Amino acid sequence: MIEYGEILRMLRIAKDLSITKLARQIGVSESYISEIEKGKKNPSYKVCEKYACGLKISVEKMDRILCLRHRDLSFEQALLRVLLILELDK
């Protein structure tokens, strides 16, 4: 099963953002983003909203993507679905 932080990392990479750039855009530390992506921290809803804004996606789309963690998907399957959702909603 894919983890929450892994999905957020996929989104960041799919949007071609470094941890440094995203951290600056949303006003959190690089280490905080790293801890979220490694599954060591769970972001608040407010941070998730900022994350979505920094990734230039709607909160609704981010919620749709984050629902993938409830499915029994491999990393590769989840990545393909993330990319498909991002592409379909352009």
Side-chain angles (χ1 to χ4, degrees), residues 34-48:
S34 180
E35 289 176 334
I36 290 170
E37 291 183 0
K38 290 178 182 175
K40 294 180 180 178
K41 297 256 182 187
N42 290 316
S44 66
Y45 185 76
K46 190 71 172 171
V47 170
C48 285

Side-chain angles (χ1 to χ4, degrees), residues 22-39:
L22 181 60
R24 280 192 211 126
Q25 286 180 347
I26 68 173
V28 300
S29 70
E30 294 172 41
S31 61
Y32 186 59
I33 290 178
S34 180
E35 289 176 334
I36 290 170
E37 291 183 0
K38 290 178 182 175

Side-chain angles (χ1 to χ4, degrees), residues 35-73:
E35 289 176 334
I36 290 170
E37 291 183 0
K38 290 178 182 175
K40 294 180 180 178
K41 297 256 182 187
N42 290 316
S44 66
Y45 185 76
K46 190 71 172 171
V47 170
C48 285
E49 286 179 327
K50 289 180 178 184
Y51 221 101
C53 184
L55 295 170
K56 296 181 178 36
I57 61 173
S58 68
V59 173
E60 293 80 17
K61 186 185 296 186
M62 187 160 171
D63 285 343
R64 241 174 72 208
I65 292 169
L66 290 174
C67 283
L68 294 174
R69 73 184 189 278
H70 298 298
R71 297 186 176 196
D72 190 23
L73 301 172

